[in-house]
Amino acid sequence: MNPPKSPFRRVAAIAAGALIGLAGVGAIASPASAHHPEPSGTYCLAADGQVKVTWTVGNSENIGATITTLESTVPGDFTGGLAKDATLPAKGQGFLTGTQAHRFDEKRPTIELTVEARWVRPERVVTEKRTVAAKPVGTCAAEPTPSPSSPTPTATPSPTPTAASPSPSQPPTQSPTPTPPATPAPAEPVGSVESTCDKLTFTIENPADGETVTLTLTPNKGEVKTLVVKPGETGSVSFDATKGLVVTPAAEGLDDTAPIAWEQPADCAPGQGGGKDEPALPLTGAATGGIIAGAAVLLAAGVALFMVARRRRVRFTV
């Protein structure tokens, strides 16, 4: 007669299943790579003394994003597809470009672009802002000459060259000053905001050559939190997602202090994601409870089967 299997083997199998389930939950809950716009820019000096700037913005993610903020230190409108509320193509599917032109009075103007983009995924909403300084590329390429006409060349060699030489040189003598590289601005930290089904998270990446950042976050419900990030470090602070949660950031040198509201992603389970006034429970807790309950039921069944099999084994027939 084959002896019944030991219940300890059942327990081991249940424990292994539970560990596999928890590992799956951990893999799903692991943090994703940071979403961010990828801006870059160049500028050149035109013969008329204007500085012409070309901006290019790419995407770090495989889904499209929306440009929510577009701020340039160059006065004037953008020419091209780069604009607020424009759709930023997914990574590998193109870029948004825009140009600006302006005559600066300063010798070393600050030429920077700040871009904020917003990604909407089923399980989270991410907003991140990046600032970039344009790099100088020297003198702009010469504009194509207007339609050639035979009488005009004959008139140009006249004494006008003597007067023409000072006139173009007049703006360049003062305007070549923007051509050398502008004084590098201090490195700025990068901030992002992420709304998941159960959290509103603020993250700051501080470059190694930056300064210590102290960010105060004041929610409309609950306690104020402070995030201190030293140079070369990354820090984050989270708030439990509740319906109507709004957090106002404040820090020295922070221009954008507008309140930030938690956004509920589309793919949240029923009862999750701030549906009540109290903080929503993470999904991992519910899943762990189900695993434990299932393990207890299977363990009890294993013990019962073992006892039944044991009673059958000690019963003899004549």
Side-chain angles (χ1 to χ4, degrees):
M1 178 184 302
N2 292 330
K5 294 183 178 179
S6 170
F8 294 105
R9 296 182 63 181
R10 289 182 185 274
V11 175
I14 294 168
L19 288 175
I20 292 172
L22 289 175
V25 171
I28 294 173
S30 59
S33 58
H35 300 56
H36 60 273
E38 298 177 338
S40 62
T42 59
Y43 68 90
C44 62
L45 181 66
D48 59 358
Q50 282 194 325
V51 174
K52 295 188 176 181
V53 190
T54 301
W55 302 109
T56 302
V57 181
N59 189 346
S60 68
E61 301 303 305
N62 59 355
I63 62 170
T66 302
I67 301 295
T68 53
T69 299
L70 188 65
E71 298 172 351
S72 173
T73 58
V74 181
D77 297 331
F78 291 84
T79 301
L82 183 59
K84 187 177 180 296
D85 299 326
T87 299
L88 184 60
K91 184 175 183 179
Q93 297 183 11
F95 304 88
L96 289 180
T97 59
T99 59
Q100 292 180 287
H102 183 72
R103 188 190 302 271
F104 288 94
D105 295 329
E106 306 96 312
K107 292 184 177 180
R108 293 180 180 271
T110 300
I111 303 177
E112 292 182 344
L113 179 71
T114 298
V115 181
E116 182 184 75
R118 180 174 179 267
W119 291 261
V120 179
R121 292 187 180 271
E123 74 283 1
R124 65 189 184 279
V125 179
V126 182
T127 302
E128 181 153 329
K129 182 184 294 187
R130 291 286 170 103
T131 299
V132 67
K135 296 179 179 180
V137 292
T139 306
C140 301
E143 296 285 341
T145 54
S147 56
S149 57
S150 47
T152 12
T154 54
T156 36
S158 57
T160 9
T162 55
S165 52
S167 59
S169 63
Q170 195 173 4
T173 46
Q174 296 178 354
S175 33
T177 46
T179 309
T183 50
E188 295 185 359
V190 175
S192 65
V193 181
E194 182 175 358
S195 292
T196 60
C197 292
D198 54 2
K199 297 288 183 183
L200 175 62
T201 303
F202 295 80
T203 302
I204 290 181
E205 300 174 30
N206 200 355
D209 52 350
E211 299 179 354
T212 300
V213 176
T214 301
L215 182 67
T216 303
L217 299 162
T218 306
N220 58 342
K221 301 175 183 180
E223 298 181 356
V224 176
K225 295 186 179 183
T226 302
L227 176 60
V228 179
V229 184
K230 296 180 180 179
E233 296 182 357
T234 298
S236 62
V237 163
S238 295
F239 293 86
D240 290 332
T242 58
K243 189 175 182 179
L245 173 65
V246 176
V247 179
T248 303
E252 184 179 352
L254 180 65
D255 297 329
D256 188 3
T257 57
I260 297 174
W262 171 77
E263 296 183 63
Q264 181 172 352
D267 197 15
C268 291
Q272 189 188 18
K276 305 175 183 178
D277 259 349
E278 60 268 8
L281 292 176
L283 183 59
T284 52
T288 305
I291 292 171
I292 294 173
V297 171
L298 291 176
L299 179 59
V303 172
L305 291 174
F306 172 74
M307 296 303 295
V308 170
R310 184 177 180 184
R311 265 184 288 185
R312 287 178 180 172
R313 187 175 61 178
V314 297
R315 186 177 299 168
F316 297 93
T317 58
V318 180

